Amino acid sequence: MRFLLIEDHAQLAQTVAERLALDGHAVDHAATLSDARDYLAVTAYDLILLDIMLPDGDGRDFLADHREGRSGDTPVIVMTARSDVADRIALLDTGADDYVTKPFDTMELEARIRAVLRRRAGQSRPVIRHGDLTFDVLSATLSIAGIEAPCELRNREMRLLEILLSAPDRIHPKAQLTDRLFSAADDVSENAIEVYVARLRRKLEDSSVRIETVRGVGYRLA
C-alpha cells in the first residue's frame, strides 16, 4: 500500500515512515500542506496520515478540503496532540476515519491503519480467502488448502498479494502496482514488479490460484 504522511516533525515522520516500510508499505512524506497537495495532484494513495498543526496551515481545513476534492474518498487517520473529546468528535465529523493522540505507539498506529483499510475493503477480519488460499494479513502468512505448512511472505510480497486479492478479477497494470508498492523516493522501474510476481508465483505453485500475465497490460489472479 502507498501512504501519504503529512507531518512537520522530522524525527517522528522518519520513525513512522521506517516502521511502515518494514511492513511493506511505501510512504511519501510531506512536511507542509503545500507539499501534500502537490503529492495528491499526481499520485493516488491508499491512506493519508495527517498532522493537525503544520507550518502553512491547519490540518483540519486540509481535511475538509480533501473530502470535497477528487481524491476525497481516500481514508484519513489524524495524528493529533488534542485530547479533548470535543476536538476528537470534531475531527471525525469533519471526515477523519480515525485518529491517534500524540504521543502514540507505532504499534497502535499500525493497528488503526489495518482496521481502517479493512473497513474500506469491506472486511471485518484481517483474513482474506480466495479459492484454496487463506491470507492472514496480521501474521503475513499464506495458507494453501491441503498443504500443512503455511508460506511466510516478505513485506512487499505480502502487499502485492493483498492488492491482487482485493480485486481478483481485475487486471492490475504494472505501472499502477509500482505506484502502490514504492514511494517517490524509491528508484525503481516497472521491472521490479516482475521480481515480486515471480516470487509469489513460486509460493503459489501448489495452489489452484495463479497470477496470470495479461501481455502488455499487467497481472490478475486466475
Side-chain angles (χ1 to χ4, degrees):
M1 301 295 176
R2 188 164 181 178
F3 301 159
L4 177 60
L5 171 61
I6 309 172
E7 169 62 61
D8 66 324
H9 191 290
Q11 185 174 355
L12 175 59
Q14 182 178 356
T15 298
V16 170
E18 289 178 350
R19 180 61 229 176
L20 294 177
L22 290 176
D23 288 336
H25 299 296
V27 181
D28 290 331
H29 171 224
T32 66
L33 294 177
S34 176
D35 288 346
R37 292 187 181 97
D38 289 342
Y39 274 120
L40 286 167
V42 296
T43 304
Y45 290 96
D46 297 291
L47 180 80
I48 297 172
L49 300 170
L50 174 65
D51 186 22
I52 290 299
M53 304 305 294
L54 290 149
D56 57 344
D58 192 315
R60 290 166 295 188
D61 295 333
F62 175 90
L63 175 60
D65 291 341
H66 169 70
R67 288 301 181 215
E68 297 295 326
R70 64 181 178 87
S71 60
D73 61 343
T74 305
V76 177
I77 296 178
V78 173
M79 304 177 297
T80 177
R82 298 174 179 269
S83 58
D84 291 346
V85 172
D87 289 326
R88 298 199 299 268
I89 291 173
L91 287 170
L92 294 171
D93 285 343
T94 301
D97 293 88
D98 203 349
Y99 62 86
V100 288
T101 304
K102 294 180 178 181
F104 54 80
D105 189 292
T106 54
M107 292 179 65
E108 178 189 0
L109 178 61
E110 290 173 288
R112 290 183 180 275
I113 288 172
R114 290 193 296 267
V116 166
L117 293 177
R118 286 200 305 271
R119 289 199 299 270
R120 283 301 175 112
Q123 301 163 357
S124 60
R125 294 174 59 83
V127 175
I128 304 173
R129 293 182 175 85
H130 181 71
D132 60 358
L133 299 180
T134 300
F135 175 45
D136 190 320
V137 179
L138 293 183
S139 63
T141 55
L142 174 68
S143 299
I144 301 172
I147 306 298
E148 185 175 346
C151 303
E152 292 188 1
L153 302 175
R154 297 190 176 184
N155 48 22
R156 285 201 173 99
E157 295 170 2
M158 176 176 65
R159 296 308 167 196
L160 175 57
L161 180 61
E162 192 174 6
I163 292 169
L164 295 173
L165 285 172
S166 68
D169 298 322
R170 181 190 305 167
I171 299 173
H172 299 268
K174 290 173 69 174
Q176 183 184 85
L177 292 173
T178 303
D179 191 56
R180 293 185 67 182
L181 287 175
F182 298 96
S183 71
D186 293 321
D187 184 16
V188 296
S189 69
E190 291 180 13
N191 291 335
I193 294 298
E194 297 177 8
V195 174
Y196 290 103
V197 167
R199 291 178 182 175
L200 274 181
R201 279 177 169 156
R202 286 196 293 270
K203 294 182 177 182
L204 293 175
E205 285 179 349
D206 296 319
S207 170
S208 61
V209 176
R210 294 286 185 268
I211 300 176
E212 181 180 73
T213 300
V214 181
R215 191 172 300 279
V217 183
Y219 303 97
R220 67 181 171 196
L221 291 184

PDB file of all heavy atoms in Angstrom, residues 2-4 40 43-49 63 66-67 69-77 95-97 116 120:
ATOM      1  N   ARG A   2       0.368   2.313  -0.585  1.00  0.00           N
ATOM      2  CA  ARG A   2       1.126   3.563  -0.623  1.00  0.00           C
ATOM      3  C   ARG A   2       0.411   4.619   0.218  1.00  0.00           C
ATOM      4  O   ARG A   2      -0.778   4.879   0.034  1.00  0.00           O
ATOM      5  CB  ARG A   2       1.281   4.055  -2.064  1.00  0.00           C
ATOM      6  CG  ARG A   2       2.244   5.250  -2.172  1.00  0.00           C
ATOM      7  CD  ARG A   2       2.667   5.465  -3.591  1.00  0.00           C
ATOM      8  NE  ARG A   2       3.587   6.580  -3.720  1.00  0.00           N
ATOM      9  CZ  ARG A   2       4.152   6.959  -4.859  1.00  0.00           C
ATOM     10  NH1 ARG A   2       3.876   6.297  -5.971  1.00  0.00           N
ATOM     11  NH2 ARG A   2       4.983   7.976  -4.907  1.00  0.00           N
ATOM     12  N   PHE A   3       1.146   5.200   1.167  1.00  0.00           N
ATOM     13  CA  PHE A   3       0.593   6.160   2.114  1.00  0.00           C
ATOM     14  C   PHE A   3       1.232   7.531   1.921  1.00  0.00           C
ATOM     15  O   PHE A   3       2.396   7.631   1.519  1.00  0.00           O
ATOM     16  CB  PHE A   3       0.846   5.725   3.561  1.00  0.00           C
ATOM     17  CG  PHE A   3       0.270   4.379   3.921  1.00  0.00           C
ATOM     18  CD1 PHE A   3       0.778   3.674   5.001  1.00  0.00           C
ATOM     19  CD2 PHE A   3      -0.772   3.818   3.193  1.00  0.00           C
ATOM     20  CE1 PHE A   3       0.260   2.438   5.355  1.00  0.00           C
ATOM     21  CE2 PHE A   3      -1.303   2.588   3.533  1.00  0.00           C
ATOM     22  CZ  PHE A   3      -0.785   1.891   4.623  1.00  0.00           C
ATOM     23  N   LEU A   4       0.465   8.563   2.252  1.00  0.00           N
ATOM     24  CA  LEU A   4       0.997   9.922   2.315  1.00  0.00           C
ATOM     25  C   LEU A   4       1.026  10.335   3.777  1.00  0.00           C
ATOM     26  O   LEU A   4      -0.015  10.370   4.452  1.00  0.00           O
ATOM     27  CB  LEU A   4       0.129  10.897   1.516  1.00  0.00           C
ATOM     28  CG  LEU A   4       0.559  12.368   1.576  1.00  0.00           C
ATOM     29  CD1 LEU A   4       1.979  12.550   1.032  1.00  0.00           C
ATOM     30  CD2 LEU A   4      -0.420  13.264   0.814  1.00  0.00           C
ATOM     31  N   LEU A  40      -0.671  14.840  -3.830  1.00  0.00           N
ATOM     32  CA  LEU A  40      -2.018  14.356  -4.147  1.00  0.00           C
ATOM     33  C   LEU A  40      -2.426  14.689  -5.581  1.00  0.00           C
ATOM     34  O   LEU A  40      -3.277  14.010  -6.155  1.00  0.00           O
ATOM     35  CB  LEU A  40      -3.030  14.951  -3.166  1.00  0.00           C
ATOM     36  CG  LEU A  40      -3.011  14.351  -1.753  1.00  0.00           C
ATOM     37  CD1 LEU A  40      -3.822  15.212  -0.798  1.00  0.00           C
ATOM     38  CD2 LEU A  40      -3.540  12.926  -1.774  1.00  0.00           C
ATOM     39  N   THR A  43      -0.509  11.647  -7.515  1.00  0.00           N
ATOM     40  CA  THR A  43      -0.436  10.278  -7.021  1.00  0.00           C
ATOM     41  C   THR A  43      -1.717   9.895  -6.284  1.00  0.00           C
ATOM     42  O   THR A  43      -2.273  10.706  -5.545  1.00  0.00           O
ATOM     43  CB  THR A  43       0.759  10.101  -6.057  1.00  0.00           C
ATOM     44  OG1 THR A  43       1.963  10.498  -6.726  1.00  0.00           O
ATOM     45  CG2 THR A  43       0.901   8.652  -5.611  1.00  0.00           C
ATOM     46  N   ALA A  44      -2.163   8.666  -6.493  1.00  0.00           N
ATOM     47  CA  ALA A  44      -3.302   8.129  -5.748  1.00  0.00           C
ATOM     48  C   ALA A  44      -2.775   7.349  -4.545  1.00  0.00           C
ATOM     49  O   ALA A  44      -1.847   6.540  -4.679  1.00  0.00           O
ATOM     50  CB  ALA A  44      -4.138   7.213  -6.633  1.00  0.00           C
ATOM     51  N   TYR A  45      -3.337   7.604  -3.380  1.00  0.00           N
ATOM     52  CA  TYR A  45      -2.877   6.967  -2.147  1.00  0.00           C
ATOM     53  C   TYR A  45      -3.947   6.063  -1.565  1.00  0.00           C
ATOM     54  O   TYR A  45      -5.145   6.290  -1.751  1.00  0.00           O
ATOM     55  CB  TYR A  45      -2.461   8.032  -1.121  1.00  0.00           C
ATOM     56  CG  TYR A  45      -1.204   8.764  -1.512  1.00  0.00           C
ATOM     57  CD1 TYR A  45      -1.266   9.987  -2.173  1.00  0.00           C
ATOM     58  CD2 TYR A  45       0.047   8.221  -1.256  1.00  0.00           C
ATOM     59  CE1 TYR A  45      -0.109  10.655  -2.569  1.00  0.00           C
ATOM     60  CE2 TYR A  45       1.210   8.871  -1.647  1.00  0.00           C
ATOM     61  CZ  TYR A  45       1.127  10.094  -2.293  1.00  0.00           C
ATOM     62  OH  TYR A  45       2.269  10.730  -2.690  1.00  0.00           O
ATOM     63  N   ASP A  46      -3.487   5.051  -0.829  1.00  0.00           N
ATOM     64  CA  ASP A  46      -4.405   4.148  -0.133  1.00  0.00           C
ATOM     65  C   ASP A  46      -4.816   4.708   1.221  1.00  0.00           C
ATOM     66  O   ASP A  46      -5.858   4.333   1.759  1.00  0.00           O
ATOM     67  CB  ASP A  46      -3.748   2.784   0.061  1.00  0.00           C
ATOM     68  CG  ASP A  46      -3.433   2.105  -1.264  1.00  0.00           C
ATOM     69  OD1 ASP A  46      -4.380   1.707  -1.957  1.00  0.00           O
ATOM     70  OD2 ASP A  46      -2.239   2.001  -1.610  1.00  0.00           O
ATOM     71  N   LEU A  47      -3.997   5.614   1.769  1.00  0.00           N
ATOM     72  CA  LEU A  47      -4.263   6.163   3.102  1.00  0.00           C
ATOM     73  C   LEU A  47      -3.456   7.435   3.295  1.00  0.00           C
ATOM     74  O   LEU A  47      -2.346   7.555   2.780  1.00  0.00           O
ATOM     75  CB  LEU A  47      -3.873   5.138   4.179  1.00  0.00           C
ATOM     76  CG  LEU A  47      -4.076   5.546   5.631  1.00  0.00           C
ATOM     77  CD1 LEU A  47      -5.543   5.368   6.032  1.00  0.00           C
ATOM     78  CD2 LEU A  47      -3.191   4.720   6.572  1.00  0.00           C
ATOM     79  N   ILE A  48      -4.034   8.375   4.053  1.00  0.00           N
ATOM     80  CA  ILE A  48      -3.336   9.608   4.426  1.00  0.00           C
ATOM     81  C   ILE A  48      -3.209   9.659   5.943  1.00  0.00           C
ATOM     82  O   ILE A  48      -4.198   9.440   6.656  1.00  0.00           O
ATOM     83  CB  ILE A  48      -4.078  10.862   3.925  1.00  0.00           C
ATOM     84  CG1 ILE A  48      -4.125  10.880   2.394  1.00  0.00           C
ATOM     85  CG2 ILE A  48      -3.419  12.138   4.452  1.00  0.00           C
ATOM     86  CD1 ILE A  48      -5.003  11.982   1.823  1.00  0.00           C
ATOM     87  N   LEU A  49      -1.994   9.930   6.433  1.00  0.00           N
ATOM     88  CA  LEU A  49      -1.747  10.176   7.845  1.00  0.00           C
ATOM     89  C   LEU A  49      -1.508  11.668   8.008  1.00  0.00           C
ATOM     90  O   LEU A  49      -0.559  12.212   7.436  1.00  0.00           O
ATOM     91  CB  LEU A  49      -0.534   9.377   8.330  1.00  0.00           C
ATOM     92  CG  LEU A  49      -0.654   7.855   8.186  1.00  0.00           C
ATOM     93  CD1 LEU A  49       0.693   7.185   8.473  1.00  0.00           C
ATOM     94  CD2 LEU A  49      -1.713   7.314   9.130  1.00  0.00           C
ATOM     95  N   LEU A  63      -8.261  18.702   5.757  1.00  0.00           N
ATOM     96  CA  LEU A  63      -9.137  17.539   5.770  1.00  0.00           C
ATOM     97  C   LEU A  63     -10.487  17.868   5.147  1.00  0.00           C
ATOM     98  O   LEU A  63     -11.008  17.103   4.317  1.00  0.00           O
ATOM     99  CB  LEU A  63      -9.319  17.046   7.207  1.00  0.00           C
ATOM    100  CG  LEU A  63     -10.303  15.893   7.416  1.00  0.00           C
ATOM    101  CD1 LEU A  63      -9.882  14.656   6.629  1.00  0.00           C
ATOM    102  CD2 LEU A  63     -10.394  15.568   8.914  1.00  0.00           C
ATOM    103  N   HIS A  66     -10.031  18.258   1.472  1.00  0.00           N
ATOM    104  CA  HIS A  66      -9.750  16.949   0.876  1.00  0.00           C
ATOM    105  C   HIS A  66     -11.035  16.176   0.619  1.00  0.00           C
ATOM    106  O   HIS A  66     -11.197  15.559  -0.440  1.00  0.00           O
ATOM    107  CB  HIS A  66      -8.831  16.149   1.797  1.00  0.00           C
ATOM    108  CG  HIS A  66      -8.690  14.706   1.429  1.00  0.00           C
ATOM    109  ND1 HIS A  66      -8.023  14.286   0.298  1.00  0.00           N
ATOM    110  CD2 HIS A  66      -9.152  13.578   2.046  1.00  0.00           C
ATOM    111  CE1 HIS A  66      -8.072  12.959   0.225  1.00  0.00           C
ATOM    112  NE2 HIS A  66      -8.751  12.511   1.268  1.00  0.00           N
ATOM    113  N   ARG A  67     -11.946  16.210   1.555  1.00  0.00           N
ATOM    114  CA  ARG A  67     -13.205  15.478   1.399  1.00  0.00           C
ATOM    115  C   ARG A  67     -14.058  16.039   0.254  1.00  0.00           C
ATOM    116  O   ARG A  67     -14.908  15.342  -0.285  1.00  0.00           O
ATOM    117  CB  ARG A  67     -13.999  15.510   2.705  1.00  0.00           C
ATOM    118  CG  ARG A  67     -13.409  14.632   3.798  1.00  0.00           C
ATOM    119  CD  ARG A  67     -13.324  13.195   3.357  1.00  0.00           C
ATOM    120  NE  ARG A  67     -12.770  12.310   4.389  1.00  0.00           N
ATOM    121  CZ  ARG A  67     -12.008  11.278   4.141  1.00  0.00           C
ATOM    122  NH1 ARG A  67     -11.661  10.990   2.894  1.00  0.00           N
ATOM    123  NH2 ARG A  67     -11.568  10.511   5.109  1.00  0.00           N
ATOM    124  N   GLY A  69     -12.586  17.172  -2.563  1.00  0.00           N
ATOM    125  CA  GLY A  69     -11.789  17.049  -3.784  1.00  0.00           C
ATOM    126  C   GLY A  69     -11.996  15.736  -4.506  1.00  0.00           C
ATOM    127  O   GLY A  69     -12.745  14.856  -4.075  1.00  0.00           O
ATOM    128  N   ARG A  70     -11.261  15.577  -5.625  1.00  0.00           N
ATOM    129  CA  ARG A  70     -11.432  14.395  -6.484  1.00  0.00           C
ATOM    130  C   ARG A  70     -10.921  13.128  -5.814  1.00  0.00           C
ATOM    131  O   ARG A  70     -11.362  12.022  -6.163  1.00  0.00           O
ATOM    132  CB  ARG A  70     -10.710  14.613  -7.813  1.00  0.00           C
ATOM    133  CG  ARG A  70      -9.203  14.762  -7.724  1.00  0.00           C
ATOM    134  CD  ARG A  70      -8.590  14.985  -9.095  1.00  0.00           C
ATOM    135  NE  ARG A  70      -7.148  15.173  -9.035  1.00  0.00           N
ATOM    136  CZ  ARG A  70      -6.271  14.178  -9.050  1.00  0.00           C
ATOM    137  NH1 ARG A  70      -6.695  12.929  -9.106  1.00  0.00           N
ATOM    138  NH2 ARG A  70      -4.973  14.419  -8.998  1.00  0.00           N
ATOM    139  N   SER A  71      -9.996  13.251  -4.858  1.00  0.00           N
ATOM    140  CA  SER A  71      -9.482  12.071  -4.154  1.00  0.00           C
ATOM    141  C   SER A  71     -10.062  11.994  -2.745  1.00  0.00           C
ATOM    142  O   SER A  71      -9.471  11.389  -1.856  1.00  0.00           O
ATOM    143  CB  SER A  71      -7.951  12.121  -4.082  1.00  0.00           C
ATOM    144  OG  SER A  71      -7.520  13.286  -3.390  1.00  0.00           O
ATOM    145  N   GLY A  72     -11.221  12.591  -2.576  1.00  0.00           N
ATOM    146  CA  GLY A  72     -11.792  12.758  -1.248  1.00  0.00           C
ATOM    147  C   GLY A  72     -12.213  11.496  -0.538  1.00  0.00           C
ATOM    148  O   GLY A  72     -12.498  11.530   0.661  1.00  0.00           O
ATOM    149  N   ASP A  73     -12.243  10.355  -1.243  1.00  0.00           N
ATOM    150  CA  ASP A  73     -12.632   9.118  -0.583  1.00  0.00           C
ATOM    151  C   ASP A  73     -11.437   8.378   0.015  1.00  0.00           C
ATOM    152  O   ASP A  73     -11.604   7.322   0.632  1.00  0.00           O
ATOM    153  CB  ASP A  73     -13.383   8.203  -1.546  1.00  0.00           C
ATOM    154  CG  ASP A  73     -12.538   7.799  -2.749  1.00  0.00           C
ATOM    155  OD1 ASP A  73     -11.515   8.475  -3.003  1.00  0.00           O
ATOM    156  OD2 ASP A  73     -12.907   6.820  -3.432  1.00  0.00           O
ATOM    157  N   THR A  74     -10.218   8.921  -0.138  1.00  0.00           N
ATOM    158  CA  THR A  74      -9.044   8.306   0.465  1.00  0.00           C
ATOM    159  C   THR A  74      -9.155   8.372   1.982  1.00  0.00           C
ATOM    160  O   THR A  74      -9.381   9.443   2.536  1.00  0.00           O
ATOM    161  CB  THR A  74      -7.758   9.025   0.027  1.00  0.00           C
ATOM    162  OG1 THR A  74      -7.692   9.059  -1.397  1.00  0.00           O
ATOM    163  CG2 THR A  74      -6.525   8.325   0.580  1.00  0.00           C
ATOM    164  N   PRO A  75      -9.023   7.249   2.690  1.00  0.00           N
ATOM    165  CA  PRO A  75      -9.143   7.289   4.156  1.00  0.00           C
ATOM    166  C   PRO A  75      -8.056   8.130   4.803  1.00  0.00           C
ATOM    167  O   PRO A  75      -6.924   8.181   4.315  1.00  0.00           O
ATOM    168  CB  PRO A  75      -9.045   5.816   4.561  1.00  0.00           C
ATOM    169  CG  PRO A  75      -8.417   5.119   3.407  1.00  0.00           C
ATOM    170  CD  PRO A  75      -8.806   5.879   2.184  1.00  0.00           C
ATOM    171  N   VAL A  76      -8.414   8.781   5.912  1.00  0.00           N
ATOM    172  CA  VAL A  76      -7.504   9.683   6.618  1.00  0.00           C
ATOM    173  C   VAL A  76      -7.482   9.323   8.098  1.00  0.00           C
ATOM    174  O   VAL A  76      -8.539   9.215   8.736  1.00  0.00           O
ATOM    175  CB  VAL A  76      -7.934  11.153   6.466  1.00  0.00           C
ATOM    176  CG1 VAL A  76      -7.006  12.069   7.276  1.00  0.00           C
ATOM    177  CG2 VAL A  76      -7.937  11.570   4.992  1.00  0.00           C
ATOM    178  N   ILE A  77      -6.282   9.120   8.626  1.00  0.00           N
ATOM    179  CA  ILE A  77      -6.089   8.991  10.077  1.00  0.00           C
ATOM    180  C   ILE A  77      -5.364  10.235  10.545  1.00  0.00           C
ATOM    181  O   ILE A  77      -4.290  10.569  10.038  1.00  0.00           O
ATOM    182  CB  ILE A  77      -5.280   7.734  10.428  1.00  0.00           C
ATOM    183  CG1 ILE A  77      -6.045   6.472  10.017  1.00  0.00           C
ATOM    184  CG2 ILE A  77      -4.976   7.695  11.931  1.00  0.00           C
ATOM    185  CD1 ILE A  77      -5.290   5.177  10.298  1.00  0.00           C
ATOM    186  N   GLY A  95     -14.470  14.465   8.793  1.00  0.00           N
ATOM    187  CA  GLY A  95     -14.199  13.465   7.759  1.00  0.00           C
ATOM    188  C   GLY A  95     -13.074  12.511   8.065  1.00  0.00           C
ATOM    189  O   GLY A  95     -12.745  11.666   7.226  1.00  0.00           O
ATOM    190  N   ALA A  96     -12.470  12.604   9.261  1.00  0.00           N
ATOM    191  CA  ALA A  96     -11.410  11.657   9.610  1.00  0.00           C
ATOM    192  C   ALA A  96     -12.000  10.268   9.801  1.00  0.00           C
ATOM    193  O   ALA A  96     -13.086  10.113  10.359  1.00  0.00           O
ATOM    194  CB  ALA A  96     -10.703  12.100  10.886  1.00  0.00           C
ATOM    195  N   ASP A  97     -11.282   9.254   9.333  1.00  0.00           N
ATOM    196  CA  ASP A  97     -11.719   7.875   9.534  1.00  0.00           C
ATOM    197  C   ASP A  97     -11.322   7.367  10.913  1.00  0.00           C
ATOM    198  O   ASP A  97     -11.965   6.466  11.452  1.00  0.00           O
ATOM    199  CB  ASP A  97     -11.111   6.975   8.455  1.00  0.00           C
ATOM    200  CG  ASP A  97     -11.669   7.292   7.077  1.00  0.00           C
ATOM    201  OD1 ASP A  97     -11.101   8.175   6.414  1.00  0.00           O
ATOM    202  OD2 ASP A  97     -12.664   6.674   6.690  1.00  0.00           O
ATOM    203  N   VAL A 116      -8.729   0.559   9.569  1.00  0.00           N
ATOM    204  CA  VAL A 116      -9.329   1.482   8.602  1.00  0.00           C
ATOM    205  C   VAL A 116      -9.319   0.869   7.205  1.00  0.00           C
ATOM    206  O   VAL A 116     -10.320   0.927   6.474  1.00  0.00           O
ATOM    207  CB  VAL A 116      -8.577   2.830   8.607  1.00  0.00           C
ATOM    208  CG1 VAL A 116      -8.949   3.676   7.386  1.00  0.00           C
ATOM    209  CG2 VAL A 116      -8.889   3.613   9.877  1.00  0.00           C
ATOM    210  N   ARG A 120     -12.535  -0.129   4.819  1.00  0.00           N
ATOM    211  CA  ARG A 120     -12.691   0.385   3.465  1.00  0.00           C
ATOM    212  C   ARG A 120     -12.826  -0.743   2.444  1.00  0.00           C
ATOM    213  O   ARG A 120     -13.455  -0.575   1.408  1.00  0.00           O
ATOM    214  CB  ARG A 120     -11.503   1.292   3.102  1.00  0.00           C
ATOM    215  CG  ARG A 120     -11.573   2.677   3.725  1.00  0.00           C
ATOM    216  CD  ARG A 120     -12.843   3.376   3.291  1.00  0.00           C
ATOM    217  NE  ARG A 120     -13.032   4.649   3.947  1.00  0.00           N
ATOM    218  CZ  ARG A 120     -12.959   5.822   3.317  1.00  0.00           C
ATOM    219  NH1 ARG A 120     -12.693   5.867   2.033  1.00  0.00           N
ATOM    220  NH2 ARG A 120     -13.176   6.936   3.977  1.00  0.00           N
TER     221      ARG A 120
END
